[in-house]
Amino acid sequence: MPPAGIVIPAGGSGSRFGHAQPKQFLELAGLPILVRTCQAFFAVEAVQAVVVAAPADYLHHTADLLHTHLPARHLGKLHITAGGTTRQDSVHAGLLRLPPAIELVLVHDAARPLVDPATILRCLEGAARLGAVIAAVPVKDTLKRVERDGTIMATVDRSHLWQAQTPQAARRHLLEQAFAAAQRTGFVGTDEASLLEAAEIPVRVVAGSECNGKITHPEDLRVAAALAAGEESMKIGHGFDAHRLVSGRPLILGGVSIEYELGLEGHSDADVVAHALADALLGALGAGDIGRHFPDSDPQYKGIDSLLLLGRVYELATQRGFRLGNADITIVCQRPRLAPHLATMAGNLARCCASDPAAVNIKATTTENMGYTGRGEGIAAHAVVLLRSNHGCA
């Protein structure tokens, strides 16, 4: 698959929605719509760049929102630019921000947050093979041509009619050619397919999804919330890790460097909190343990930040169609006192799992000087996670 990038035009005001802020910033099942849309594309390995074309007045708000909710490993692929007065202007601005190496370009509505990986891959594979494609579904309802007074004029033959969706995908040079032609002629299209058609570039359809609807009106948000809840299945996992305290090592727990005379011994940074959570995720997935995926015999993991490993484990969960419901973590540590650091730890772990910090609960306890943790010989952590899977639409 050639390297691909996605442009998400999110420059609209959402005036039809009746809210003070643009609809893409409203919450859908606990996450902003725009965040859900971006997550769908970060979960596809071929997508190397995500460009969000946001309203000019909301650039800082968009950046803050995405940096808060997206894991750090994704931020290097994220680009934010000002959108234009029309969708076409916003897509063109986003196209100009894509890195030069990108060969396939996807365009997707910010307000279609329930797009699934299979639809995205069909669009990418179609564009790589055919040049330009769009996701679409056949029209199922009977269509009527109607006079202004409501009188039916005729029944429309729907046998060749499809309802266009996004993503719409094309080889980059074809999309650039279409934009250049539109600038010469003054043509304004309703979507990328219409631009390509106007430039006499063939566009084909690939199968979209009935769940890949666009949120335009308030009732659409209610429907999307019901679909996001979907037929939900759950998986539970438990993780445990312990490391010895030694001199000459930093003490890192939950991604926080804590001042203490001792640190944890290990091949990586020995962050028992991140390791326990990663093992709990792998347990829920039935995918072994952290040692199988990141063996201590492999020099590439020597001293590695365990939050990076946790991010990779969570990416495996998203690829399998799961997201974090919640996590509950207990750190067993006699010394030092950890209470001042727990909120920061929770924020770090939540970012790695693309979740709200409220979904990650961390508590610390002692063993009243009993056992190896009570004697200050080591620190341990337990983690329990609930993974949620949305079938079909999320």
Side-chain angles (χ1 to χ4, degrees), residues 109-133:
D109 299 325
R112 291 186 191 268
L114 300 184
V115 61
D116 59 279
T119 298
I120 296 169
L121 286 171
R122 282 194 294 271
C123 290
L124 285 174
E125 290 163 358
R129 184 167 52 90
L130 302 169
V133 300

Side-chain angles (χ1 to χ4, degrees), residues 277-338:
L277 180 53
D279 266 346
L281 292 168
L282 290 168
L285 295 170
D289 61 18
I290 195 170
R292 180 193 300 181
H293 293 264
F294 315 108
D296 58 12
S297 58
D298 192 331
Q300 70 174 307
Y301 303 122
K302 178 71 173 175
I304 194 170
D305 182 344
S306 293
L307 293 184
L308 295 177
L309 304 183
L310 176 61
R312 294 183 194 178
V313 170
Y314 190 72
E315 192 163 354
L316 176 64
T318 60
Q319 288 170 356
R320 296 191 180 186
F322 289 92
R323 71 182 192 282
L324 182 68
N326 71 291
D328 186 32
I329 302 165
T330 302
I331 308 171
V332 186
C333 173
Q334 194 69 38
R335 290 177 302 276
R337 185 170 177 269
L338 299 180

Side-chain angles (χ1 to χ4, degrees), residues 144-288:
K144 302 292 185 180
R145 185 177 294 112
V146 179
E147 292 277 16
R148 289 185 179 180
D149 66 358
T151 303
I152 294 175
M153 298 171 59
T155 298
V156 179
D157 179 9
R158 67 172 189 250
S159 59
H160 296 289
L161 296 180
W162 289 62
Q163 181 178 328
Q165 297 181 338
T166 63
Q168 303 196 356
R171 287 198 169 269
R172 184 175 189 157
H173 72 277
L174 294 177
L175 194 56
E176 290 173 339
Q177 181 181 329
F179 270 103
Q183 288 177 334
R184 287 194 304 270
T185 63
F187 176 79
V188 177
T190 55
D191 63 1
E192 291 63 57
S194 61
L195 280 180
L196 291 158
E197 294 162 31
E200 299 184 347
I201 297 169
V203 184
R204 293 172 174 83
V205 298
V206 297
S209 167
E210 295 291 348
C211 298
N212 184 25
K214 187 176 182 181
I215 298 174
T216 303
H217 303 288
E219 58 267 28
D220 299 329
L221 186 58
R222 291 191 288 272
V223 171
L227 290 172
E231 287 183 37
E232 191 174 80
S233 65
M234 296 176 286
K235 289 182 177 287
I236 296 171
H238 172 262
F240 171 79
D241 195 36
H243 283 271
R244 184 186 303 274
L245 283 164
V246 296
S247 59
R249 290 271 297 184
L251 177 58
I252 299 173
L253 296 172
V256 178
S257 183
I258 299 169
E259 287 191 19
Y260 191 53
E261 62 266 25
L262 302 175
L264 292 172
E265 185 177 38
H267 185 67
S268 65
D269 63 7
D271 185 338
V272 293
V273 179
H275 291 182
L277 180 53
D279 266 346
L281 292 168
L282 290 168
L285 295 170

